CSV table of all heavy atoms in Angstrom, one decimal:
chain,number,residue,atom,x,y,z
E,257,ALA,N,-12.8,16.6,-4.7
E,257,ALA,CA,-13.9,16.7,-3.8
E,257,ALA,C,-14.2,15.4,-3.2
E,257,ALA,O,-14.1,14.3,-3.7
E,257,ALA,CB,-15.1,17.1,-4.6
E,258,GLY,N,-14.5,15.5,-1.9
E,258,GLY,CA,-14.8,14.3,-1.1
E,258,GLY,C,-13.7,13.5,-0.5
E,258,GLY,O,-13.9,12.7,0.4
E,259,HIS,N,-12.4,13.8,-1.0
E,259,HIS,CA,-11.3,13.0,-0.4
E,259,HIS,C,-11.0,13.5,1.0
E,259,HIS,O,-11.1,14.7,1.3
E,259,HIS,CB,-10.0,13.2,-1.2
E,259,HIS,CG,-8.9,12.3,-0.8
E,259,HIS,ND1,-8.1,12.6,0.2
E,259,HIS,CD2,-8.5,11.2,-1.3
E,259,HIS,CE1,-7.2,11.6,0.4
E,259,HIS,NE2,-7.4,10.7,-0.6
E,260,PRO,N,-10.8,12.6,1.9
E,260,PRO,CA,-10.7,13.1,3.4
E,260,PRO,C,-9.7,14.1,3.6
E,260,PRO,O,-9.8,15.0,4.4
E,260,PRO,CB,-10.3,11.7,4.2
E,260,PRO,CG,-10.2,10.7,3.2
E,260,PRO,CD,-10.8,11.2,1.9
E,261,GLU,N,-8.6,14.1,2.8
E,261,GLU,CA,-7.6,15.1,3.0
E,261,GLU,C,-8.1,16.5,2.6
E,261,GLU,O,-7.8,17.5,3.2
E,261,GLU,CB,-6.3,14.8,2.1
E,261,GLU,CG,-5.2,15.8,2.4
E,261,GLU,CD,-3.9,15.6,1.5
E,261,GLU,OE1,-3.6,14.5,1.1
E,261,GLU,OE2,-3.4,16.6,1.0
E,262,VAL,N,-8.9,16.5,1.5
E,262,VAL,CA,-9.5,17.8,1.1
E,262,VAL,C,-10.5,18.3,2.1
E,262,VAL,O,-10.5,19.5,2.5
E,262,VAL,CB,-10.2,17.6,-0.3
E,262,VAL,CG1,-11.1,18.7,-0.6
E,262,VAL,CG2,-9.0,17.4,-1.4
E,263,ILE,N,-11.3,17.4,2.7
E,263,ILE,CA,-12.2,17.8,3.7
E,263,ILE,C,-11.5,18.3,4.9
E,263,ILE,O,-11.8,19.4,5.5
E,263,ILE,CB,-13.1,16.5,4.2
E,263,ILE,CG1,-14.0,16.1,2.9
E,263,ILE,CG2,-13.9,16.8,5.4
E,263,ILE,CD1,-14.6,14.8,3.1
E,264,GLY,N,-10.3,17.7,5.3
E,264,GLY,CA,-9.5,18.1,6.4
E,264,GLY,C,-8.9,19.5,6.1
E,264,GLY,O,-8.9,20.4,7.0
E,265,THR,N,-8.4,19.7,5.0
E,265,THR,CA,-7.7,21.0,4.6
E,265,THR,C,-8.8,22.1,4.6
E,265,THR,O,-8.5,23.3,5.1
E,265,THR,CB,-6.9,20.9,3.3
E,265,THR,OG1,-6.0,19.8,3.4
E,265,THR,CG2,-6.2,22.2,3.0
E,266,MET,N,-9.9,21.8,3.9
E,266,MET,CA,-11.0,22.9,3.9
E,266,MET,C,-11.4,23.2,5.3
E,266,MET,O,-11.7,24.4,5.6
E,266,MET,CB,-12.1,22.5,3.0
E,266,MET,CG,-11.7,22.3,1.5
E,266,MET,SD,-13.1,22.0,0.5
E,266,MET,CE,-13.5,23.7,0.0
E,267,GLY,N,-11.4,22.3,6.1
E,267,GLY,CA,-11.9,22.4,7.5
E,267,GLY,C,-10.9,23.1,8.4
E,267,GLY,O,-11.1,23.3,9.6
E,268,GLN,N,-9.8,23.5,7.9
E,268,GLN,CA,-8.9,24.4,8.7
E,268,GLN,C,-9.3,25.9,8.7
E,268,GLN,O,-8.9,26.6,9.6
E,268,GLN,CB,-7.4,24.3,8.1
E,268,GLN,CG,-6.8,22.9,8.1
E,268,GLN,CD,-6.9,22.2,9.4
E,268,GLN,OE1,-6.4,22.7,10.4
E,268,GLN,NE2,-7.5,21.0,9.4
E,269,LEU,N,-10.1,26.2,7.8
E,269,LEU,CA,-10.5,27.6,7.6
E,269,LEU,C,-12.0,27.7,7.7
E,269,LEU,O,-12.8,26.9,7.5
E,269,LEU,CB,-10.0,28.1,6.2
E,269,LEU,CG,-8.4,28.1,6.1
E,269,LEU,CD1,-8.1,28.5,4.7
E,269,LEU,CD2,-7.7,28.9,7.1
E,270,PRO,N,-12.5,29.0,8.0
E,270,PRO,CA,-13.9,29.2,8.1
E,270,PRO,C,-14.6,29.0,6.7
E,270,PRO,O,-13.9,29.1,5.7
E,270,PRO,CB,-14.0,30.6,8.5
E,270,PRO,CG,-12.7,31.1,8.7
E,270,PRO,CD,-11.6,30.1,8.3
E,271,GLU,N,-15.9,28.7,6.8
E,271,GLU,CA,-16.6,28.4,5.6
E,271,GLU,C,-16.5,29.6,4.6
E,271,GLU,O,-16.6,30.8,5.1
E,271,GLU,CB,-18.1,28.2,5.9
E,271,GLU,CG,-18.6,27.0,5.1
E,271,GLU,CD,-20.0,26.6,5.6
E,271,GLU,OE1,-20.2,26.3,6.7
E,271,GLU,OE2,-20.8,26.5,4.6
E,272,GLY,N,-16.3,29.4,3.4
E,272,GLY,CA,-16.3,30.4,2.4
E,272,GLY,C,-14.9,30.9,2.1
E,272,GLY,O,-14.6,31.7,1.2
E,273,ALA,N,-13.9,30.5,3.0
E,273,ALA,CA,-12.5,31.0,2.9
E,273,ALA,C,-11.7,30.2,1.8
E,273,ALA,O,-10.7,30.7,1.4
E,273,ALA,CB,-11.8,30.9,4.2
E,274,VAL,N,-12.2,29.0,1.5
E,274,VAL,CA,-11.5,28.2,0.5
E,274,VAL,C,-12.5,27.8,-0.7
E,274,VAL,O,-13.6,27.5,-0.5
E,274,VAL,CB,-11.1,26.8,1.2
E,274,VAL,CG1,-10.3,26.0,0.3
E,274,VAL,CG2,-10.4,27.0,2.5
E,275,THR,N,-11.9,27.8,-1.9
E,275,THR,CA,-12.6,27.3,-3.0
E,275,THR,C,-11.8,26.1,-3.6
E,275,THR,O,-10.6,26.1,-3.8
E,275,THR,CB,-12.8,28.3,-4.1
E,275,THR,OG1,-13.4,29.5,-3.6
E,275,THR,CG2,-13.5,27.8,-5.4
Side-chain angles (χ1 to χ4, degrees):
H259 190 279
E261 186 186 320
V262 163
I263 295 168
T265 303
M266 292 189 90
Q268 300 306 305
L269 299 176
E271 225 172 306
V274 188
T275 300

